[in-house]
Amino acid sequence: MTDAATDAPITAHAPLDAPRRRELALALVAERGFVRVAELSAAFGVTTVTARADLDALERRGEIRRVHGGAVPVSSTLAAERPDREPTFEEALAASVEPKRRIGEHAASLVRSGQSIILDVGTTTLQIARALRARDDLDDLTVFTNGLSLALELEDEIPRFTVIVTGGTLRPKQHSLVHPLAGSMLDEVHVDLAFIGCNGVDPVHGVTNANLPEAAVKALMLRAAARSIVVADGSKLGEVHLGRIAPIDAFDELVTDVAAPRPLVAELEVAGLAVHLARDPKVDP
């Protein structure tokens, strides 16, 4: 068995007791940044159930963070502690600014004049709105959104853009419109493209969101579009949250940033999702 990044083998050991296995597993996670359950199972001569139990024990001690298929260090981007409450729109806007800007620019490049699109609420989709504004080649664009911040961002582009707000109940601090009524319009339209934000993208559990009412509206947006693109910075890969929006195969593409963990990107691609890593040519290799 080898590490794809270094080709260094994980050396199999004679039977080890649990404390020693966990000590070695922790060292491997720290060294490599990501270790799979299957690798630990083969290396230590234990079942995958035992390997998962070892990782779960390390996570309970706060020494690693479990992600789909394995574990990462607690200091990694993926392992950032979840806040005790959902961050406000403004707090989220201040996080991962550059990755979101690059994702927004790539997503906006997929839009053509004369199209109709859905822009889901969110700070990454706000970057899409800003990138659309910057494109002076775009005309006759119809934008549906449930985000008041996004609608206001696009207001100055009227009549070049037609901006339609879905309606619904206002979620405080998120500036989003949800049920009841938010679905009434979405049930009646069919757009060319939908850009859906989220809190988690996982190969097994699909695309999820922290808030159930917002997740329900996102699912309606997905069904209202000929083509659906999920936008999420790399910290959201491997995350699973309360509200399931849809399985991975319901989306046509994921646009994320170059910091996205390569093992998780590979698993998403194996699951059938096309993944694009948005780059800044001035910064990213």
Side-chain angles (χ1 to χ4, degrees), residues 8-33:
I10 295 179
T11 305
H13 294 271
L16 301 169
D17 59 17
R20 180 57 178 159
R21 284 198 315 270
R22 292 167 188 176
E23 178 186 353
L24 292 171
L26 179 60
L28 284 170
V29 172
E31 177 186 349
R32 299 185 176 190

Side-chain angles (χ1 to χ4, degrees), residues 230-243:
V230 59
V231 291
D233 66 75
S235 68
K236 296 177 180 178
L237 271 60
E239 290 284 314
V240 180
H241 288 262
L242 178 64

Side-chain angles (χ1 to χ4, degrees), residues 34-39 67-71 201-205 237-238 248 254 261-275:
F34 177 79
V35 172
R36 296 176 182 275
V37 168
E39 291 178 314
V67 297
H68 175 71
V201 183
D202 181 81
V204 173
H205 298 284
L237 271 60
I248 288 297
L254 163 67
R262 293 301 190 272
L264 290 177
V265 169
E267 289 191 35
L268 290 167
E269 290 176 330
V270 168
L273 184 64
V275 180

Side-chain angles (χ1 to χ4, degrees), residues 25-26 29 54-56 58-59 62-66 71-74:
L26 179 60
V29 172
D54 287 342
L55 293 180
D56 290 342
L58 290 170
E59 183 178 47
E63 296 181 302
I64 62 165
R65 173 70 183 277
R66 292 281 275 117
V72 296
V74 291

Side-chain angles (χ1 to χ4, degrees), residues 89-104:
F89 188 92
E90 287 73 22
E91 287 170 340
L93 189 62
S96 303
V97 175
E98 280 304 299
K100 290 176 182 178
R101 180 185 62 79
R102 295 170 197 172
I103 292 168

Side-chain angles (χ1 to χ4, degrees), residues 5 36 43 68 70 84 109 118 123 125 156 176 215-216 219 232 243 254 273:
R36 296 176 182 275
H68 175 71
D84 294 332
S109 74
I118 288 173
T123 54
T125 48
D156 287 345
S176 65
L254 163 67
L273 184 64

Side-chain angles (χ1 to χ4, degrees), residues 93-143:
L93 189 62
S96 303
V97 175
E98 280 304 299
K100 290 176 182 178
R101 180 185 62 79
R102 295 170 197 172
I103 292 168
E105 289 176 352
H106 175 78
S109 74
L110 304 175
V111 179
R112 300 291 176 263
S113 292
Q115 286 188 319
S116 56
I117 69 170
I118 288 173
L119 280 184
D120 181 24
V121 69
T123 54
T124 304
T125 48
L126 179 64
Q127 295 292 346
I128 299 176
R130 290 174 175 172
L132 290 171
R133 286 193 62 187
R135 284 189 53 191
D136 55 13
D137 62 310
L138 277 182
D139 194 21
D140 191 26
L141 184 67
T142 301
V143 181

